[in-house]
Amino acid sequence: MNFAEKLQSYRKQKGMSQENLAEVIGVSRQAVSKWESGQSYPEMDKMIALSELFHVTIDHLVKDIPGVVEETPSQVPGIVPAGWRPYFHFEYKSKAKLFGIPLVHIHLGRGIKVAKGIIAVGNISIGALSIGILALGGLSIGVLAGGLISLAALAIGLLLGVGGVATGLLAIGGLALGILTIGGLSIGMFSLGGGAIASHIAIGGYASGHIAIGDTVNGAYTLVVQDQDFSSIRAEQVRQLINQEYPHLWKPLAERIIDFFSSAN
């Protein structure tokens, strides 16, 4: 038998309709119909899912060779044969849509599962609010996230990035890269951190910038902290330096920098 015939046979042995199989694998019924008519073949992640569902090897499905049938779970409760892994897949799409996009799309399971919605949750998610291993959108939360506001181990945010490694207009992280940065190692125009490197103002244990304030400093204008105590630097000193070097600096930002030393005193 060819692949199309095997697929149809195994599906019927399990008592599944094309709709049932499509739902479990995460495709449309039309896709299953095309597979069974020989018009197309599944992508690799779908082929893996089929082999696990039917407990046969991929070689058996695609080649004219005997199949090695995998063990199925024991009927004794709590006992599962070694090496057997159940296939998990879950997908939900809300019928309500906005601009043709589902309000909610959840797509989870083994392999590549993409969720696209206003609210998207999936292995890969794309949405206004996206949560996933790879998340892209307005507010993105994941292992790797990119968007206007991103929270992740690796966060790339146009406005705000928060994570182990973070980039953004405002970046907060172990390693922070951006315009205004706060982190263990902070690199930007205005930086605050254990190690702060900035083109304009750097504040930290080690500070390097045009204006550098810290324990160890390198810059055109420097203020050295005494005994690791930032209260030894007067806010008025910082104000004078900023007004002298950056008289047109956005005032709310200038005041936040100065307030750091006001609170320390």
Side-chain angles (χ1 to χ4, degrees), residues 214-229:
D215 297 307
T216 303
V217 294
N218 176 40
Y221 297 90
T222 61
L223 295 173
V224 179
V225 172
Q226 302 298 321
D227 300 323
Q228 300 181 342
D229 183 3

Side-chain angles (χ1 to χ4, degrees), residues 123 131-135 140-146 151-156 163-165:
N123 297 13
I131 302 172
I133 296 173
L134 171 59
S140 302
I141 304 170
V143 176
L144 171 60
L151 304 140
L154 173 56
I156 302 171
V165 177

Side-chain angles (χ1 to χ4, degrees), residues 11 58 106 113 124 126 134 195 205-206 251:
R11 173 177 63 78
I58 294 177
I106 302 171
K113 305 299 179 188
I124 299 174
I126 303 170
L134 171 59
Y206 169 79
K251 290 195 179 298

Side-chain angles (χ1 to χ4, degrees), residues 22-130:
E23 184 178 352
V24 170
I25 300 301
V27 297
S28 66
R29 187 201 62 77
Q30 289 79 6
V32 174
S33 178
K34 287 182 179 180
W35 296 346
E36 292 190 354
S37 64
Q39 296 179 52
S40 64
Y41 282 87
E43 296 178 353
M44 181 52 69
D45 64 315
K46 307 303 182 188
M47 190 68 79
I48 292 172
L50 289 169
S51 73
E52 293 180 339
L53 176 64
F54 299 132
H55 309 298
V56 297
T57 65
I58 294 177
D59 278 350
H60 170 66
L61 283 175
V62 299
K63 298 178 182 178
D64 191 18
I65 60 175
V68 179
V69 180
E70 298 174 352
E71 289 182 88
T72 56
S74 168
Q75 297 302 309
V76 180
I79 299 178
V80 178
W84 185 85
R85 295 176 298 170
Y87 176 74
F88 168 74
H89 175 259
F90 174 79
E91 183 172 17
Y92 167 77
K93 275 187 184 180
S94 65
K95 293 182 179 179
K97 295 184 178 181
L98 183 63
F99 305 115
I101 302 171
L103 288 178
V104 179
H105 186 191
I106 302 171
H107 199 183
L108 301 169
R110 292 178 57 189
I112 299 173
K113 305 299 179 188
V114 180
K116 296 179 182 179
I118 303 303
I119 299 175
V121 180
N123 297 13
I124 299 174
S125 59
I126 303 170
L129 168 59
S130 57

Side-chain angles (χ1 to χ4, degrees), residues 161 163-168 170-188 190-192 195 197:
V165 177
T167 68
L170 169 59
I172 304 171
L175 171 60
L177 308 168
I179 304 299
L180 176 59
T181 60
I182 302 170
L185 175 58
S186 178
I187 303 172
F190 305 93
S191 301
L192 171 65
I197 301 171

